[in-house]
Amino acid sequence: MTLKAAIFRGAAGAAVLLALAGCSTAAGNARLDSVEASGDGTLRIGLILDNTGDQAFLNDSQRAAAKLAVQEVNAAGGHKGKPVELLPESAGDDTEAQARNLVAAKADVVIGPTDSSHAAAAIAVLSHARVPLISPANSAAGLSSHQSGGYYFRTAAADIAQASVLVKLAKDGGAKSLAVVHQDSAYGGEVSSAVAAAAKDAGLETVSTSDFKPGDARQAAAAAQKAAPDAVVLIAREGAQGAIAELNNAGLSGSRIVLSDGAFAKYGSGLGSKALDGARAVVPGLFPSADFQARLVAVEPRLKDLSFAAETFDAVNLAVLAAAEADDDAGRTIAANLIAVSGGSVENLDRGQAGKKCTSFKDCQALVKSGAAVDYDGESGPVAFDANGDITTANFMVFTYGPDNNARVTGRETAGRAAG
C-alpha cells in the first residue's frame, strides 16, 4: 500500500480561481456566526470525487475513508440517535454538477474536491445553498482568501506551508546559503517566494532564484551553479526529473538538493547513478498507522493507495462533531462550529474554555455529551481551523534518497501557520 503525493492538487490555475471569484456566494463569514438550529434531524454528508483518468485511483481512498468514518460514527450512536447518511456519489470532472446534485439531495456538508482548480465551482454552488465544503486535498494558497461566505474549509495545508520545512532541511544539512530553482507556474512562484522569506527568517542567504519551463531547465541550473550555494531547493510539479538532471550536469547533486512535495518521486534509473544520493524531499501528511490502514482495508479490500484518506476521515469526523456540538445538522450550524471542535482559536471570537484533546469520534462525542469543549486531533494530526478555514499546523514526512535514486521515510517535521 502506498501514499502517493497527488502533485496536481494545487495546480489551480490562478486564472480559474479569479474567473470564478465573482460567482454568487453567501455574504459574511459563516465560520464566525451565531446561528439557531434549523436542521431536519438527519445529517447527510456528500462527496465530490473529481479525479478522472490516471488520477482516478484517488477517488478510492477518499471514498473508503468517508465510509469508514460514517460507519464508526454510526456505531457510536450517529447524530441525535439517528444514522448519519453518506449520500451516493458519482465521480467526474464536472464539479459544479456534482455540487448541484448534492444540494438537491439535501446534503448538510460536502467533502471534496481534490483538485484546487475545481474548488471555486463547488464553493459557488454550495455556499449559495449554505452548505459547508471541506476539502481533504486542496492546497492552492489563493484559496485562503477566496470568497466563500465562510463555507469553505480544508484539512490539507496550503502549498506554501512546506517552505519553512524545506529551509530547515537545508539548514540541518549545514547550509548557510541556498539557491531556489522553481517551475514557472503559480505553484512554483508561490512556494519560491515563501522559501525566500523562510530562509531570511532562518538566517540563510538566498543567493539565487531562477525559474524554468518543463524540459528547459539548463539556464536555471546554470544560474544556481554560478551562485555557488550550499544547497539547492527545487520546486516543481512538472519537469522535475529534467531539472534534477540539469542540476547534476552543473555539478549540483546528492545531499545538496532539497525537493518540494511536487518534485518528490521514485526516480531510480531515470537519473544518473547517485544523482540524488543523500537528497531530501517533503511530502505533506503523516504515514497512516497500521491500525488505520487495517480499518480502511476492511471497508475497501482492494484499496492500493492512501492519498488524502486521513484528511478525508478527519473532515467527516469534524463535520459530525460540529453538528453534535450544537445538536443540529444544518449546514450553517456545522460551519459555525467547525473552528471550535477543531481546537481553532480566532481573535475576537469567544469560544469559552479550551477544548479537551480527543483523537476519535467516540471519545470526542463522549466529551460533547458531558458538556465539555473538544479539540479533535485525528489521523492527519492537529487541525485547528482559523478564520479562513485553513489548518494552522501542517505535518510533513521527510524522505531521504539513496544511491539508487529512490527514497524512504527518514523523519517528520511540523510547520506552524499552514494557511496561505
Side-chain angles (χ1 to χ4, degrees), residues 185-249:
S185 64
Y187 166 80
E190 289 168 355
V191 179
S192 172
S193 295
V195 166
K200 183 177 180 180
D201 290 343
L204 272 65
E205 181 183 6
T206 302
V207 294
S208 171
T209 300
S210 52
D211 61 19
F212 69 92
K213 295 187 181 299
D216 187 17
R218 180 172 299 178
Q219 289 186 349
Q225 177 195 41
K226 184 177 181 180
D230 296 326
V232 179
V233 177
L234 175 62
I235 303 163
R237 282 205 169 102
E238 290 121 12
Q241 181 168 321
I244 294 168
E246 292 293 355
L247 287 170
N248 277 210
N249 291 338

Short mmCIF file of all heavy atoms in Angstrom, two decimals, residues 185-249:
data_model
loop_
_atom_site.label_atom_id
_atom_site.label_comp_id
_atom_site.label_asym_id
_atom_site.label_seq_id
_atom_site.Cartn_x
_atom_site.Cartn_y
_atom_site.Cartn_z
N SER A 185 5.37 28.61 -12.72
CA SER A 185 3.96 28.32 -12.52
C SER A 185 3.51 29.00 -11.25
O SER A 185 4.33 29.51 -10.47
CB SER A 185 3.72 26.80 -12.40
OG SER A 185 4.37 26.31 -11.23
N ALA A 186 2.20 29.01 -11.01
CA ALA A 186 1.69 29.60 -9.77
C ALA A 186 2.26 28.88 -8.57
O ALA A 186 2.71 29.51 -7.60
CB ALA A 186 0.16 29.55 -9.76
N TYR A 187 2.26 27.56 -8.62
CA TYR A 187 2.82 26.75 -7.53
C TYR A 187 4.28 27.10 -7.30
O TYR A 187 4.71 27.38 -6.18
CB TYR A 187 2.64 25.27 -7.86
CG TYR A 187 3.45 24.32 -7.01
CD1 TYR A 187 3.03 23.96 -5.74
CD2 TYR A 187 4.63 23.75 -7.50
CE1 TYR A 187 3.77 23.07 -4.97
CE2 TYR A 187 5.36 22.85 -6.75
CZ TYR A 187 4.93 22.51 -5.48
OH TYR A 187 5.65 21.62 -4.72
N GLY A 188 5.07 27.09 -8.37
CA GLY A 188 6.50 27.36 -8.25
C GLY A 188 6.78 28.75 -7.71
O GLY A 188 7.63 28.94 -6.82
N GLY A 189 6.05 29.73 -8.21
CA GLY A 189 6.28 31.10 -7.77
C GLY A 189 5.89 31.33 -6.33
O GLY A 189 6.61 31.99 -5.57
N GLU A 190 4.73 30.79 -5.92
CA GLU A 190 4.26 30.99 -4.55
C GLU A 190 5.18 30.31 -3.54
O GLU A 190 5.55 30.91 -2.52
CB GLU A 190 2.84 30.44 -4.41
CG GLU A 190 1.80 31.28 -5.13
CD GLU A 190 0.45 30.60 -5.25
OE1 GLU A 190 0.36 29.41 -4.85
OE2 GLU A 190 -0.51 31.23 -5.74
N VAL A 191 5.56 29.07 -3.81
CA VAL A 191 6.41 28.36 -2.86
C VAL A 191 7.82 28.97 -2.85
O VAL A 191 8.45 29.08 -1.80
CB VAL A 191 6.46 26.85 -3.18
CG1 VAL A 191 7.38 26.13 -2.20
CG2 VAL A 191 5.06 26.25 -3.11
N SER A 192 8.30 29.40 -4.02
CA SER A 192 9.61 30.03 -4.09
C SER A 192 9.67 31.28 -3.22
O SER A 192 10.62 31.50 -2.46
CB SER A 192 9.94 30.39 -5.55
OG SER A 192 11.12 31.16 -5.62
N SER A 193 8.65 32.13 -3.33
CA SER A 193 8.61 33.35 -2.52
C SER A 193 8.57 33.01 -1.03
O SER A 193 9.22 33.67 -0.21
CB SER A 193 7.39 34.19 -2.90
OG SER A 193 7.49 34.65 -4.23
N ALA A 194 7.80 31.98 -0.68
CA ALA A 194 7.70 31.58 0.72
C ALA A 194 9.02 31.02 1.23
O ALA A 194 9.40 31.24 2.38
CB ALA A 194 6.59 30.55 0.89
N VAL A 195 9.74 30.30 0.37
CA VAL A 195 11.06 29.76 0.76
C VAL A 195 12.04 30.90 1.01
O VAL A 195 12.80 30.89 2.00
CB VAL A 195 11.60 28.80 -0.32
CG1 VAL A 195 13.09 28.52 -0.11
CG2 VAL A 195 10.82 27.49 -0.31
N ALA A 196 12.04 31.90 0.15
CA ALA A 196 12.94 33.03 0.34
C ALA A 196 12.66 33.74 1.67
O ALA A 196 13.59 34.11 2.40
CB ALA A 196 12.78 34.02 -0.82
N ALA A 197 11.37 33.90 2.00
CA ALA A 197 11.01 34.53 3.27
C ALA A 197 11.42 33.67 4.45
O ALA A 197 11.95 34.17 5.46
CB ALA A 197 9.51 34.81 3.31
N ALA A 198 11.21 32.36 4.34
CA ALA A 198 11.58 31.45 5.42
C ALA A 198 13.09 31.39 5.60
O ALA A 198 13.58 31.29 6.74
CB ALA A 198 11.02 30.05 5.13
N ALA A 199 13.81 31.46 4.49
CA ALA A 199 15.28 31.44 4.58
C ALA A 199 15.78 32.67 5.33
O ALA A 199 16.68 32.58 6.18
CB ALA A 199 15.88 31.39 3.18
N LYS A 200 15.20 33.82 5.04
CA LYS A 200 15.60 35.05 5.73
C LYS A 200 15.35 34.93 7.22
O LYS A 200 16.21 35.30 8.04
CB LYS A 200 14.84 36.23 5.14
CG LYS A 200 15.23 37.57 5.75
CD LYS A 200 14.48 38.72 5.07
CE LYS A 200 14.88 40.06 5.68
NZ LYS A 200 14.15 41.18 5.02
N ASP A 201 14.19 34.40 7.58
CA ASP A 201 13.85 34.22 8.99
C ASP A 201 14.80 33.25 9.68
O ASP A 201 15.08 33.40 10.88
CB ASP A 201 12.41 33.71 9.14
CG ASP A 201 11.38 34.75 8.75
OD1 ASP A 201 11.72 35.95 8.69
OD2 ASP A 201 10.23 34.37 8.49
N ALA A 202 15.29 32.28 8.92
CA ALA A 202 16.19 31.26 9.50
C ALA A 202 17.65 31.67 9.44
O ALA A 202 18.53 30.91 9.89
CB ALA A 202 15.99 29.94 8.76
N GLY A 203 17.94 32.83 8.89
CA GLY A 203 19.32 33.30 8.82
C GLY A 203 20.12 32.74 7.67
O GLY A 203 21.36 32.81 7.68
N LEU A 204 19.43 32.21 6.65
CA LEU A 204 20.12 31.72 5.46
C LEU A 204 20.02 32.75 4.34
O LEU A 204 19.02 33.46 4.23
CB LEU A 204 19.50 30.40 4.97
CG LEU A 204 20.05 29.10 5.57
CD1 LEU A 204 19.74 29.02 7.06
CD2 LEU A 204 19.47 27.89 4.84
N GLU A 205 21.03 32.80 3.53
CA GLU A 205 21.04 33.73 2.41
C GLU A 205 20.56 33.02 1.15
O GLU A 205 21.05 31.94 0.79
CB GLU A 205 22.45 34.27 2.17
CG GLU A 205 22.53 35.27 1.02
CD GLU A 205 23.94 35.74 0.75
OE1 GLU A 205 24.89 35.20 1.38
OE2 GLU A 205 24.11 36.62 -0.11
N THR A 206 19.59 33.63 0.47
CA THR A 206 19.15 33.12 -0.82
C THR A 206 20.00 33.79 -1.89
O THR A 206 19.83 34.98 -2.18
CB THR A 206 17.67 33.41 -1.06
OG1 THR A 206 16.88 32.81 -0.01
CG2 THR A 206 17.21 32.83 -2.39
N VAL A 207 20.94 33.04 -2.46
CA VAL A 207 21.92 33.64 -3.37
C VAL A 207 21.47 33.63 -4.82
O VAL A 207 22.07 34.31 -5.66
CB VAL A 207 23.29 32.93 -3.23
CG1 VAL A 207 23.88 33.18 -1.85
CG2 VAL A 207 23.15 31.43 -3.49
N SER A 208 20.42 32.86 -5.12
CA SER A 208 19.95 32.80 -6.50
C SER A 208 18.52 32.28 -6.52
O SER A 208 18.16 31.38 -5.77
CB SER A 208 20.84 31.86 -7.32
OG SER A 208 20.29 31.61 -8.60
N THR A 209 17.71 32.88 -7.38
CA THR A 209 16.36 32.38 -7.65
C THR A 209 16.16 32.37 -9.15
O THR A 209 16.32 33.40 -9.81
CB THR A 209 15.29 33.27 -6.99
OG1 THR A 209 15.49 33.29 -5.58
CG2 THR A 209 13.89 32.72 -7.29
N SER A 210 15.85 31.21 -9.71
CA SER A 210 15.69 31.10 -11.16
C SER A 210 14.53 30.18 -11.47
O SER A 210 14.26 29.23 -10.75
CB SER A 210 16.98 30.57 -11.81
OG SER A 210 17.41 29.37 -11.19
N ASP A 211 13.82 30.49 -12.56
CA ASP A 211 12.69 29.66 -12.93
C ASP A 211 12.95 28.95 -14.25
O ASP A 211 13.89 29.27 -14.98
CB ASP A 211 11.40 30.48 -13.00
CG ASP A 211 11.45 31.59 -14.03
OD1 ASP A 211 12.30 31.55 -14.93
OD2 ASP A 211 10.63 32.52 -13.94
N PHE A 212 12.13 27.97 -14.54
CA PHE A 212 12.29 27.20 -15.78
C PHE A 212 10.95 26.67 -16.23
O PHE A 212 10.02 26.51 -15.44
CB PHE A 212 13.26 26.03 -15.56
CG PHE A 212 12.71 24.94 -14.66
CD1 PHE A 212 12.03 23.85 -15.20
CD2 PHE A 212 12.85 25.02 -13.28
CE1 PHE A 212 11.51 22.85 -14.37
CE2 PHE A 212 12.34 24.02 -12.45
CZ PHE A 212 11.67 22.94 -13.00
N LYS A 213 10.86 26.42 -17.49
CA LYS A 213 9.70 25.73 -18.05
C LYS A 213 10.06 24.25 -18.20
O LYS A 213 11.22 23.93 -18.51
CB LYS A 213 9.31 26.33 -19.40
CG LYS A 213 8.82 27.78 -19.29
CD LYS A 213 8.27 28.28 -20.61
CE LYS A 213 7.83 29.75 -20.48
NZ LYS A 213 6.77 29.91 -19.47
N PRO A 214 9.13 23.35 -17.94
CA PRO A 214 9.43 21.92 -18.03
C PRO A 214 10.14 21.57 -19.34
O PRO A 214 9.71 21.98 -20.42
CB PRO A 214 8.05 21.27 -17.95
CG PRO A 214 7.24 22.23 -17.13
CD PRO A 214 7.73 23.59 -17.55
N GLY A 215 11.25 20.85 -19.21
CA GLY A 215 12.03 20.46 -20.37
C GLY A 215 13.09 21.47 -20.77
O GLY A 215 13.85 21.23 -21.72
N ASP A 216 13.18 22.58 -20.05
CA ASP A 216 14.14 23.62 -20.41
C ASP A 216 14.71 24.25 -19.14
O ASP A 216 14.50 25.44 -18.86
CB ASP A 216 13.45 24.68 -21.27
CG ASP A 216 14.43 25.71 -21.83
OD1 ASP A 216 15.65 25.42 -21.83
OD2 ASP A 216 13.98 26.79 -22.26
N ALA A 217 15.43 23.45 -18.36
CA ALA A 217 15.94 23.92 -17.06
C ALA A 217 17.44 24.22 -17.08
O ALA A 217 18.02 24.51 -16.04
CB ALA A 217 15.66 22.86 -15.99
N ARG A 218 18.07 24.19 -18.24
CA ARG A 218 19.53 24.34 -18.29
C ARG A 218 19.97 25.71 -17.76
O ARG A 218 20.90 25.81 -16.95
CB ARG A 218 20.05 24.15 -19.71
CG ARG A 218 21.57 24.29 -19.83
CD ARG A 218 22.06 23.90 -21.21
NE ARG A 218 21.72 22.51 -21.50
CZ ARG A 218 22.00 21.91 -22.66
NH1 ARG A 218 22.60 22.60 -23.64
NH2 ARG A 218 21.68 20.65 -22.86
N GLN A 219 19.31 26.78 -18.20
CA GLN A 219 19.73 28.11 -17.76
C GLN A 219 19.48 28.31 -16.27
O GLN A 219 20.29 28.94 -15.58
CB GLN A 219 18.98 29.19 -18.56
CG GLN A 219 19.44 29.29 -20.01
CD GLN A 219 18.78 30.46 -20.74
OE1 GLN A 219 17.84 31.07 -20.24
NE2 GLN A 219 19.27 30.76 -21.93
N ALA A 220 18.39 27.77 -15.75
CA ALA A 220 18.11 27.88 -14.32
C ALA A 220 19.17 27.16 -13.51
O ALA A 220 19.64 27.66 -12.47
CB ALA A 220 16.72 27.31 -14.02
N ALA A 221 19.58 25.98 -13.99
CA ALA A 221 20.63 25.23 -13.29
C ALA A 221 21.96 25.97 -13.35
O ALA A 221 22.72 26.01 -12.37
CB ALA A 221 20.76 23.83 -13.90
N ALA A 222 22.24 26.58 -14.51
CA ALA A 222 23.50 27.34 -14.65
C ALA A 222 23.52 28.54 -13.71
O ALA A 222 24.55 28.87 -13.12
CB ALA A 222 23.66 27.80 -16.10
N ALA A 223 22.37 29.19 -13.54
CA ALA A 223 22.29 30.33 -12.63
C ALA A 223 22.54 29.89 -11.19
O ALA A 223 23.23 30.59 -10.43
CB ALA A 223 20.92 31.00 -12.75
N ALA A 224 21.98 28.74 -10.83
CA ALA A 224 22.22 28.22 -9.49
C ALA A 224 23.69 27.88 -9.28
O ALA A 224 24.28 28.19 -8.25
CB ALA A 224 21.35 26.98 -9.25
N GLN A 225 24.30 27.24 -10.28
CA GLN A 225 25.72 26.88 -10.18
C GLN A 225 26.59 28.12 -10.01
O GLN A 225 27.50 28.16 -9.17
CB GLN A 225 26.15 26.13 -11.44
CG GLN A 225 27.64 25.77 -11.46
CD GLN A 225 28.10 25.36 -12.85
OE1 GLN A 225 27.70 25.99 -13.83
NE2 GLN A 225 28.92 24.32 -12.93
N LYS A 226 26.31 29.16 -10.76
CA LYS A 226 27.10 30.39 -10.71
C LYS A 226 27.06 31.03 -9.33
O LYS A 226 28.04 31.63 -8.86
CB LYS A 226 26.60 31.37 -11.76
CG LYS A 226 27.43 32.64 -11.86
CD LYS A 226 26.91 33.53 -12.98
CE LYS A 226 27.76 34.80 -13.09
NZ LYS A 226 27.25 35.69 -14.20
N ALA A 227 25.94 30.87 -8.62
CA ALA A 227 25.80 31.48 -7.29
C ALA A 227 26.53 30.69 -6.21
O ALA A 227 26.67 31.17 -5.09
CB ALA A 227 24.32 31.59 -6.95
N ALA A 228 26.98 29.50 -6.53
CA ALA A 228 27.74 28.65 -5.60
C ALA A 228 27.04 28.46 -4.26
O ALA A 228 27.60 28.75 -3.19
CB ALA A 228 29.13 29.22 -5.40
N PRO A 229 25.82 27.95 -4.24
CA PRO A 229 25.08 27.78 -2.99
C PRO A 229 25.52 26.53 -2.23
O PRO A 229 26.09 25.60 -2.82
CB PRO A 229 23.64 27.63 -3.46
CG PRO A 229 23.79 26.89 -4.77
CD PRO A 229 25.04 27.47 -5.40
N ASP A 230 25.23 26.52 -0.95
CA ASP A 230 25.47 25.30 -0.17
C ASP A 230 24.39 24.26 -0.45
O ASP A 230 24.63 23.06 -0.35
CB ASP A 230 25.47 25.62 1.33
CG ASP A 230 26.60 26.55 1.73
OD1 ASP A 230 27.68 26.47 1.13
OD2 ASP A 230 26.39 27.38 2.65
N ALA A 231 23.19 24.73 -0.77
CA ALA A 231 22.08 23.82 -1.04
C ALA A 231 21.20 24.41 -2.13
O ALA A 231 21.19 25.63 -2.35
CB ALA A 231 21.25 23.59 0.23
N VAL A 232 20.47 23.53 -2.82
CA VAL A 232 19.52 23.95 -3.86
C VAL A 232 18.15 23.40 -3.51
O VAL A 232 17.99 22.20 -3.27
CB VAL A 232 19.93 23.42 -5.25
CG1 VAL A 232 18.90 23.84 -6.29
CG2 VAL A 232 21.31 23.89 -5.62
N VAL A 233 17.17 24.29 -3.46
CA VAL A 233 15.78 23.86 -3.26
C VAL A 233 15.10 23.85 -4.62
O VAL A 233 15.01 24.87 -5.29
CB VAL A 233 15.04 24.82 -2.30
CG1 VAL A 233 13.58 24.40 -2.17
CG2 VAL A 233 15.71 24.83 -0.93
N LEU A 234 14.63 22.68 -5.03
CA LEU A 234 13.94 22.52 -6.31
C LEU A 234 12.45 22.45 -6.06
O LEU A 234 11.97 21.57 -5.33
CB LEU A 234 14.41 21.26 -7.03
CG LEU A 234 13.68 20.93 -8.34
CD1 LEU A 234 13.88 22.03 -9.37
CD2 LEU A 234 14.14 19.59 -8.89
N ILE A 235 11.72 23.36 -6.69
CA ILE A 235 10.27 23.45 -6.51
C ILE A 235 9.62 23.24 -7.87
O ILE A 235 9.75 24.08 -8.77
CB ILE A 235 9.87 24.82 -5.94
CG1 ILE A 235 10.60 25.08 -4.61
CG2 ILE A 235 8.36 24.91 -5.75
CD1 ILE A 235 10.58 26.53 -4.20
N ALA A 236 8.94 22.13 -8.04
CA ALA A 236 8.35 21.83 -9.35
C ALA A 236 7.27 20.78 -9.21
O ALA A 236 7.27 19.99 -8.26
CB ALA A 236 9.42 21.33 -10.31
N ARG A 237 6.37 20.79 -10.16
CA ARG A 237 5.41 19.69 -10.30
C ARG A 237 5.66 18.96 -11.61
O ARG A 237 5.55 17.75 -11.68
CB ARG A 237 3.97 20.23 -10.25
CG ARG A 237 3.50 20.54 -8.84
CD ARG A 237 1.98 20.47 -8.74
NE ARG A 237 1.56 20.50 -7.36
CZ ARG A 237 1.07 21.58 -6.76
NH1 ARG A 237 0.92 22.70 -7.44
NH2 ARG A 237 0.69 21.53 -5.51
N GLU A 238 5.95 19.71 -12.65
CA GLU A 238 6.28 19.10 -13.93
C GLU A 238 7.72 19.46 -14.27
O GLU A 238 8.20 20.54 -13.94
CB GLU A 238 5.35 19.62 -15.03
CG GLU A 238 3.93 19.12 -14.91
CD GLU A 238 2.92 20.25 -14.77
OE1 GLU A 238 3.26 21.42 -14.97
OE2 GLU A 238 1.79 19.90 -14.41
N GLY A 239 8.38 18.52 -14.93
CA GLY A 239 9.75 18.79 -15.36
C GLY A 239 10.79 18.63 -14.29
O GLY A 239 11.95 19.01 -14.48
N ALA A 240 10.43 18.05 -13.14
CA ALA A 240 11.38 17.93 -12.04
C ALA A 240 12.56 17.02 -12.41
O ALA A 240 13.72 17.33 -12.09
CB ALA A 240 10.69 17.40 -10.80
N GLN A 241 12.27 15.91 -13.08
CA GLN A 241 13.36 14.99 -13.42
C GLN A 241 14.38 15.65 -14.33
O GLN A 241 15.59 15.53 -14.13
CB GLN A 241 12.80 13.73 -14.10
CG GLN A 241 13.89 12.71 -14.45
CD GLN A 241 13.31 11.37 -14.84
OE1 GLN A 241 12.34 10.90 -14.24
NE2 GLN A 241 13.90 10.73 -15.85
N GLY A 242 13.91 16.39 -15.34
CA GLY A 242 14.83 17.09 -16.23
C GLY A 242 15.61 18.16 -15.50
O GLY A 242 16.80 18.36 -15.76
N ALA A 243 14.97 18.84 -14.55
CA ALA A 243 15.66 19.87 -13.78
C ALA A 243 16.75 19.26 -12.90
O ALA A 243 17.85 19.81 -12.77
CB ALA A 243 14.67 20.64 -12.93
N ILE A 244 16.45 18.10 -12.30
CA ILE A 244 17.46 17.42 -11.48
C ILE A 244 18.66 17.02 -12.34
O ILE A 244 19.82 17.17 -11.94
CB ILE A 244 16.86 16.19 -10.78
CG1 ILE A 244 15.80 16.62 -9.77
CG2 ILE A 244 17.94 15.38 -10.08
CD1 ILE A 244 14.96 15.48 -9.23
N ALA A 245 18.38 16.51 -13.55
CA ALA A 245 19.47 16.12 -14.45
C ALA A 245 20.33 17.32 -14.82
O ALA A 245 21.57 17.23 -14.85
CB ALA A 245 18.88 15.48 -15.71
N GLU A 246 19.70 18.47 -15.06
CA GLU A 246 20.47 19.67 -15.39
C GLU A 246 21.28 20.16 -14.19
O GLU A 246 22.42 20.62 -14.35
CB GLU A 246 19.53 20.78 -15.88
CG GLU A 246 18.86 20.51 -17.22
CD GLU A 246 19.85 20.47 -18.39
OE1 GLU A 246 21.05 20.76 -18.19
OE2 GLU A 246 19.42 20.15 -19.51
N LEU A 247 20.72 20.05 -13.00
CA LEU A 247 21.47 20.42 -11.80
C LEU A 247 22.68 19.52 -11.64
O LEU A 247 23.79 19.97 -11.30
CB LEU A 247 20.57 20.34 -10.56
CG LEU A 247 19.51 21.43 -10.41
CD1 LEU A 247 18.55 21.08 -9.27
CD2 LEU A 247 20.17 22.79 -10.15
N ASN A 248 22.48 18.24 -11.91
CA ASN A 248 23.61 17.30 -11.85
C ASN A 248 24.69 17.66 -12.86
O ASN A 248 25.89 17.65 -12.55
CB ASN A 248 23.11 15.87 -12.12
CG ASN A 248 22.55 15.19 -10.90
OD1 ASN A 248 22.61 13.98 -10.77
ND2 ASN A 248 21.96 15.95 -9.98
N ASN A 249 24.28 18.01 -14.08
CA ASN A 249 25.24 18.40 -15.11
C ASN A 249 26.02 19.65 -14.70
O ASN A 249 27.16 19.84 -15.13
CB ASN A 249 24.52 18.66 -16.44
CG ASN A 249 23.95 17.40 -17.05
OD1 ASN A 249 24.40 16.29 -16.75
ND2 ASN A 249 22.94 17.54 -17.91
#
